[in-house]
Amino acid sequence: MPHSSRRTLPRAPVRIVHLGLGAFHRAHQAWYTAHADPEHEWGIAAFTGRSPDAAETLHRQDDVYTLLTRGAEGDYFETIESIVAAHDGGDTDALRDYVSRPEVTVVTLTVTEKGYRRGSDGRLDVADPDITADICALGEAFADRENPPDTIANGVLRTMPARLLWALDARRHALPDGTITLIPCDNLDDNGSVLRAVLGDLAALTSPPLGAWIDAQVDVVSTSVDRITPRTTADDIDAVAAREGIRDEALVVTEPFHSWILSGRVRAARPRWEDAGASFVSDIEPFEQRKLWMLNGAHSLLASDGILRGHETVAEAIADPECAALVHDLWDLAQRRLDASADRAGVELDLPAYRTALLERFANPAIVHRLRQIAADGSLKLRARIVEPVRRARADGETGAAGIAAIAAWARFVIAEVQAERPLDDVAAEELAARATDADPHRALLDLLAPDLAADPAVLGILTDHAR
């Protein structure tokens, strides 16, 4: 039977906008909203990132999809109906329309690390050609400061910061006192501050009055999100069709574990996500560090080292004693930093139990989490996942050797890919390829990640030892 006939609930009104319609959003924020909204009051209008495909697929299915949860005890199927509209990310007219409505009070984001368009200093990368083009487009639209801006045609704005700023401008004109909450859900330290910074930088360059309004009316929450969501395969879709009698092209596969931790002021209305298991905390830093340095850091290490050892999935790599030993060394380094962070914040992280749970999750054979999916954009991911704990370890008087070994594994992976003439799936692919052919490629690649570490002879000595 066609999936579109399976919408069994009344279509909720759009009250949430989401940027970055992908599998993780459908396994996480959309799932939490579905479970926290028994009265069906919080519909999500979701916008894609680089490709309209996900929106077109969902639209054909009346925006309904199946979430397949795979655990040790078997499979569990759910029909998720919290997304009520799906759009191409370039449809900025629709985005402005939604965000200008008084009933829309939340914008969530899953645009990956590179979607924030930050430079090496952590601020908006004004040298990025797409950002440069968006600054010109917004500057022209905002040129008349006394009147509503000129229209920017759909498809002109290329980046998340520009599209979101343009949408917030519509709200400022329609609802000058209309507070709204932005909730980034990407793997970045203090992602709320990151989002506020790039929006503020862009507003300062294009419309300072809009920037002042954002400071007054827009709350930005920091989050830590966690649910392993591998890429859905054709085999997954075929298996569900054979078992359930439904061919769901928007199928999402995920694990039983889920976590959403949020921190920050929220003045506008929102769903009661805590009823579905989300947590609101006063200090998110220890929780986001635990996730970034332990789960994400181990994933990046397994991706590089595991691929080099001929493995294809996380489950295969963690079963390799040599890969597992490197992961435990990395966790030991992270745990010492996390213990201190938790003590300062006065929170309990229960790191031994967290490590045990991670091993069980990584080893779950039902979750086929491919290492090459994780390895994408490593030049961005490693800065938060590996480089930062190395810096902190060295500041504490340790060598940081376990983290440097993880960086060396990534460098070896990049060099091997370039030598094999395989295309690098990385936002800095051209730069990586050039550095991989340097006379000292490991140092050159580390210099791209962290120039301060690359200038430290002790770090380079450890890197060289692990590069062999």
Side-chain angles (χ1 to χ4, degrees):
M1 88 181 153
H3 199 137
S4 59
S5 69
R6 296 180 64 209
R7 183 171 282 279
T8 60
L9 304 173
R11 191 180 289 266
V14 173
R15 298 183 67 188
I16 302 170
V17 167
H18 181 78
L19 305 184
L21 173 56
F24 182 77
H25 167 63
R26 285 177 277 154
H28 195 272
Q29 300 89 34
W31 179 90
Y32 273 96
T33 300
H35 282 254
D37 185 28
E39 302 301 320
H40 319 304
E41 297 175 340
W42 289 91
I44 301 169
F47 289 76
T48 62
R50 290 171 292 180
S51 166
D53 293 352
E56 293 169 356
T57 300
L58 272 175
H59 183 70
R60 290 194 296 270
Q61 300 185 175
D62 200 25
D63 303 314
V64 175
Y65 63 95
T66 301
L67 185 67
L68 168 56
T69 302
R70 285 181 164 158
E73 298 179 358
D75 294 348
Y76 177 68
F77 296 85
E78 290 181 84
T79 298
I80 305 297
E81 304 183 46
S82 53
I83 296 176
V84 298
H87 297 269
D88 179 352
D91 189 353
T92 48
D93 285 350
L95 180 61
R96 278 172 64 87
D97 174 57
Y98 287 126
V99 174
S100 66
R101 298 179 188 179
E103 67 271 22
V104 172
T105 54
V106 175
V107 178
T108 55
L109 302 91
T110 51
V111 296
T112 75
E113 293 92 333
K114 64 184 174 185
Y116 293 80
R117 303 295 179 127
R118 297 192 300 164
S120 58
D121 61 355
R123 308 297 299 198
L124 184 72
D125 184 2
V126 295
D128 182 320
D130 289 339
I131 288 292
T132 301
D134 283 349
I135 289 171
C136 291
L138 290 169
E140 291 177 6
F142 292 142
D144 187 346
R145 305 294 185 187
E146 302 301 320
N147 296 304
D150 292 335
T151 298
I152 297 177
N154 283 342
V156 170
L157 295 178
R158 305 177 185 180
T159 68
M160 176 278 290
R163 292 171 178 176
L164 182 53
L165 190 72
W166 183 232
L168 291 171
D169 173 77
R171 190 175 186 88
R172 175 173 71 114
H173 286 286
L175 303 165
D177 298 322
T179 58
I180 191 168
T181 305
L182 310 183
I183 306 178
C185 300
D186 291 292
N187 291 319
L188 296 162
D189 276 323
D190 196 7
N191 51 22
S193 295
V194 170
L195 178 58
R196 188 176 284 281
V198 295
L199 286 176
D201 290 345
L202 187 57
L205 293 167
T206 58
S207 176
L210 175 55
W213 180 86
I214 290 171
D215 288 342
Q217 298 299 135
V218 178
D219 294 329
V220 187
V221 170
S222 287
T223 68
S224 174
V225 298
D226 193 357
R227 196 169 201 184
I228 294 173
T229 307
R231 185 174 288 120
T232 302
T233 67
D235 288 344
D236 293 327
I237 294 171
D238 290 343
V240 171
R243 175 169 167 171
E244 299 294 305
I246 299 163
R247 185 159 192 88
D248 186 349
E249 299 292 341
L251 173 73
V252 177
V253 179
T254 193
E255 64 168 340
F257 182 91
H258 54 85
S259 173
W260 194 6
I261 303 172
L262 307 94
S263 181
R265 179 175 68 167
V266 179
R267 289 172 289 173
R270 63 165 179 82
R272 284 188 54 82
W273 288 308
E274 56 267 50
D275 292 347
S279 300
F280 286 80
V281 300
S282 59
D283 186 350
I284 201 168
E285 183 178 49
F287 299 97
E288 66 185 3
Q289 289 173 345
R290 181 180 67 177
K291 197 258 181 170
L292 277 169
W293 298 352
M294 297 189 75
L295 184 146
N296 298 126
H299 265 172
S300 288
L301 171 56
L302 289 172
S304 298
D305 196 62
I307 290 171
L308 290 169
R309 295 178 189 276
H311 303 307
E312 295 186 1
T313 69
V314 170
E316 290 177 9
I318 200 64
D320 182 326
E322 294 191 31
C323 287
L326 291 171
V327 167
H328 281 289
D329 289 344
L330 185 66
W331 283 348
D332 288 342
L333 179 149
Q335 186 165 340
R336 290 189 289 274
R337 316 278 83 70
L338 290 166
D339 284 336
S341 183
D343 287 344
R344 287 192 298 272
V347 299
E348 175 54 58
L349 295 179
D350 196 1
L351 295 174
Y354 188 76
R355 288 174 68 151
T356 298
L358 284 180
L359 285 174
E360 293 174 355
R361 295 168 65 194
F362 288 178
N364 181 356
I367 295 295
V368 184
H369 201 179
R370 300 205 172 273
L371 298 175
R372 286 195 175 274
Q373 178 186 354
I374 297 168
D377 294 317
S379 67
L380 289 178
K381 293 175 178 176
L382 262 69
R383 289 184 178 122
R385 300 178 179 192
I386 307 290
V387 170
E388 186 56 28
V390 168
R391 285 193 178 115
R392 296 192 185 207
R394 294 190 64 77
D396 292 340
E398 297 184 23
T399 64
I404 298 168
I407 294 170
W410 169 77
R412 292 199 310 273
F413 164 73
V414 170
I415 294 165
E417 294 293 285
V418 171
Q419 290 177 342
E421 298 184 346
R422 284 187 289 267
L424 290 167
D425 185 2
D426 196 291
V427 66
E430 292 185 8
E431 181 69 15
L432 291 174
R435 289 173 182 256
T437 58
D438 187 89
D440 187 352
H442 299 89
R443 183 209 57 80
L445 288 165
L446 175 60
D447 184 63
L448 179 65
L449 289 184
D452 57 320
L453 296 182
D456 187 329
V459 172
L460 291 178
I462 298 170
L463 184 74
T464 300
D465 288 342
H466 287 283
R468 297 190 179 100

